[in-house]
Amino acid sequence: MLTRVGRSRLGILWLMAEPIILSSLISLLHWLSGSDLPNGLPVFLFYALGYVPFMMFRSIVNRGAHAIHANISLLHHSRITLLDVMVSRNLMEAMVCSTVIALYMVIATLFMGEPPHQPALFIFGLTLSALLAHGLAMVLASAQVVWEWVEHLVHPFTYLMLPISASFFMLDMMPQETRELLLWNPLVHVHEMNRWAMFGDRVTPYYDVSYVLLWIIMLNLLGMAGLRVARVRLSISD
């Protein structure tokens, strides 16, 4: 927490305020534009619950990719491993955005008459997204130890992921050829599943959980192997 927000109480409050403000502004802009969604889907809720899960993925990847250098002093304690650093940092990012999503769902249920169709499935989808991001963050963090120039690619990569992640659109809106291309991205499967978990049969989802799990296994195994290499490199540099 100290390496993420410092000692200020305002920093801790900003952890929650940042995703709320950004997602609310984006959703408000779409709502004010008068854009309609099929089957009476609520515009504000559709975009808010599309952007916050992506923001969680982006935060874990962006922050996690720099976690080794940000917490290098902790590694002087022999019992603290690189995996400990990555898990704790990424778990914190996931919990913050998950709390914001839970808040939106409570508001949707109490004030908008839009309870989640399958809340347990939405939680499962968030878990998959966090595990994807965690694996990718470990890969990028370990790569930065070996190749410093990787640091400059992380932020552009996550920004480029936004328009192809299905955060702001449904695959059902896309031509078949475009849909098939987008489905190569495992994050698209997660967002499609989350959308169905929230809105039920008002949407037509396209997702394959086994495909997402395969990506999670590959990224996390590669990431943990990369951390072992990175720890050796850090020991040599010390």
Side-chain angles (χ1 to χ4, degrees):
M1 287 290 288
L2 290 176
T3 58
R4 174 68 167 87
V5 300
R7 298 181 180 275
S8 171
R9 292 182 181 180
L10 290 177
I12 297 175
L13 290 176
W14 181 248
L15 275 178
M16 295 291 297
E18 183 182 14
I20 291 175
I21 292 172
L22 289 176
S23 59
S24 296
L25 287 176
I26 289 173
S27 300
L28 184 62
L29 288 173
H30 282 282
W31 181 67
L32 291 175
S33 69
S35 58
D36 293 325
L37 293 170
N39 299 324
L41 294 175
V43 174
F44 186 92
L45 199 59
F46 180 89
Y47 290 103
L49 292 180
Y51 182 68
V52 178
F54 177 80
M55 189 174 183
M56 179 186 72
F57 176 87
R58 190 187 69 188
S59 296
I60 291 175
V61 173
N62 284 349
R63 306 284 183 181
H66 302 289
I68 293 178
H69 293 296
N71 296 274
I72 195 75
S73 60
L74 294 176
L75 300 179
H76 293 293
H77 303 278
S78 60
R79 293 190 177 184
I80 298 179
T81 66
L82 289 179
L83 185 59
D84 295 331
V85 171
M86 297 299 300
V87 169
S88 58
R89 187 63 175 265
N90 295 340
L91 186 61
M92 179 186 67
E93 299 291 345
M95 290 176 63
V96 168
C97 288
S98 296
T99 302
V100 173
I101 290 170
L103 177 63
Y104 275 129
M105 286 187 170
V106 170
I107 293 173
T109 301
L110 297 179
F111 302 103
M112 302 174 65
E114 290 281 352
H117 177 63
Q118 288 196 14
L121 186 63
F122 204 114
I123 294 171
F124 179 60
L126 289 178
T127 303
L128 293 180
S129 182
L131 289 173
L132 270 174
H134 175 64
L136 183 56
M138 287 194 295
V139 171
L140 293 173
S142 55
Q144 284 186 47
V145 174
V146 182
W147 304 291
E148 293 184 4
W149 52 266
V150 173
E151 177 183 0
H152 304 292
L153 302 180
V154 176
H155 283 279
F157 170 75
T158 53
Y159 279 115
L160 290 173
M161 283 287 290
L162 179 58
I164 61 171
S165 66
S167 300
F168 295 149
F169 60 87
M170 297 182 289
L171 290 190
D172 194 43
M173 300 174 174
M174 300 289 109
Q176 183 176 352
E177 296 80 6
T178 305
R179 186 188 307 148
E180 291 175 355
L181 287 174
L182 289 170
L183 283 171
W184 284 98
N185 182 354
L187 199 57
V188 170
H189 294 256
V190 175
H191 287 154
E192 284 284 290
M193 182 172 65
N194 286 348
R195 199 165 284 123
W196 186 81
M198 182 64 200
F199 300 114
D201 293 336
R202 285 187 287 173
V203 300
T204 303
Y206 295 85
Y207 66 89
D208 183 350
V209 174
S210 61
Y211 179 72
V212 180
L213 290 173
L214 180 61
W215 269 93
I216 288 172
I217 292 170
M218 291 191 302
L219 285 174
N220 279 269
L221 288 177
L222 183 61
M224 286 187 288
L227 291 181
R228 293 178 67 89
V229 174
R231 186 62 193 245
V232 173
R233 292 292 293 264
L234 289 172
S235 299
I236 293 174
S237 64
D238 292 340

